Amino acid sequence: MAVKSTTPPAVLPVELDDLKAHLRVTSDAEDPEIAAALAAAVAEIDGTGLLGRAMISQGFEQSSGPVAARCDIELDITPAQSLDGVDFVKSDGSRVSADLAGFELISDGERAWIRAASGWPSDLARRPDAIRLTYTAGFGDTAGAVPEPLRAAVKLLAAHRFEVREEVVIGTITSQIPRGVDHILDLYRLRRFS
């Protein structure tokens, strides 16, 4: 299934001043560089990034091929807040928007699925985007809604991006993403088993 961001979050999970305090930076001289490091860290972690979950409420679109009747479709990005749209490509090539009353968003707090109350249409096109779901996912609308360990991971990665501004630094020990970031993200990543 293909998933993409449609509506970016209104705020970042970490404010610039919080990151500056973490970096122990008191002047405004490097604000553009710090803001860029923060934006890069959020992009690397959030949504379709390393975490695979949305930190701040944002919109996503997920496409799926035709599915058997009564089969639920699992959403790739969680925590899901709302189902905002369902449309189909029929076998004749026309795209039809469905009435949301015929669909249910089911969540166990970690994972989320969309269930068609009467089953999925039988005349779906045989293509990977036959079903398109739009939905909102995230822990909430503000930075305060994001679990503090995830906010710490953003700060760690942003600090790393701010301090190490080149892809490769010659004459030093090779470094990757700080291990603490990976360990924190592992606490919140969803495990998928096929």
Side-chain angles (χ1 to χ4, degrees):
M1 287 185 245
V3 63
K4 66 179 182 178
S5 176
T6 57
T7 308
V11 298
L12 293 174
V14 173
E15 294 179 9
L16 181 63
D17 288 341
D18 290 340
L19 180 56
K20 286 175 68 173
H22 176 79
L23 293 168
R24 296 185 182 106
V25 172
T26 56
S27 89
D28 297 336
E30 294 189 280
D31 278 5
E33 290 84 4
I34 295 171
L38 176 57
V42 170
E44 194 168 344
I45 292 173
D46 196 26
T48 58
L50 295 171
L51 185 59
R53 299 181 88 181
M55 290 187 278
I56 301 290
S57 302
Q58 55 195 286
F60 293 93
E61 179 181 288
Q62 182 172 321
S63 298
S64 175
V67 295
R70 294 288 185 203
C71 184
D72 299 337
I73 297 177
E74 186 170 2
L75 297 179
D76 286 345
I77 306 296
T78 60
Q81 296 175 354
S82 64
L83 177 63
D84 305 323
V86 176
D87 61 64
F88 310 105
V89 177
K90 299 177 100 181
S91 55
D92 65 4
S94 63
R95 186 166 288 278
V96 178
S97 292
D99 181 0
L100 289 179
F103 299 89
E104 181 181 3
L105 172 63
I106 302 164
S107 177
D108 66 4
E110 293 290 318
R111 290 175 149 50
W113 301 265
I114 302 302
R115 175 172 292 160
S118 302
W120 300 95
S122 59
D123 62 341
L124 289 175
R126 293 191 179 276
R127 47 190 273 182
D129 64 344
I131 299 171
R132 185 172 57 195
L133 308 170
T134 54
Y135 59 98
T136 301
F139 289 102
D141 296 336
T142 65
V146 178
E148 195 57 42
L150 290 177
R151 291 170 35 81
V154 169
K155 289 178 197 176
L156 285 171
L157 185 55
H160 178 74
R161 296 287 179 248
F162 176 70
E163 295 296 329
V164 181
R165 299 181 193 188
E166 291 80 29
E167 187 66 30
V168 176
V169 180
I170 298 177
T172 65
I173 297 172
T174 304
S175 68
Q176 296 177 311
I177 294 174
R179 288 191 51 91
V181 172
D182 280 338
H183 291 297
I184 293 168
L185 295 181
D186 278 345
L187 297 172
Y188 290 90
R189 275 190 196 111
L190 291 179
R191 307 283 191 256
R192 297 194 188 273
F193 303 100
S194 298

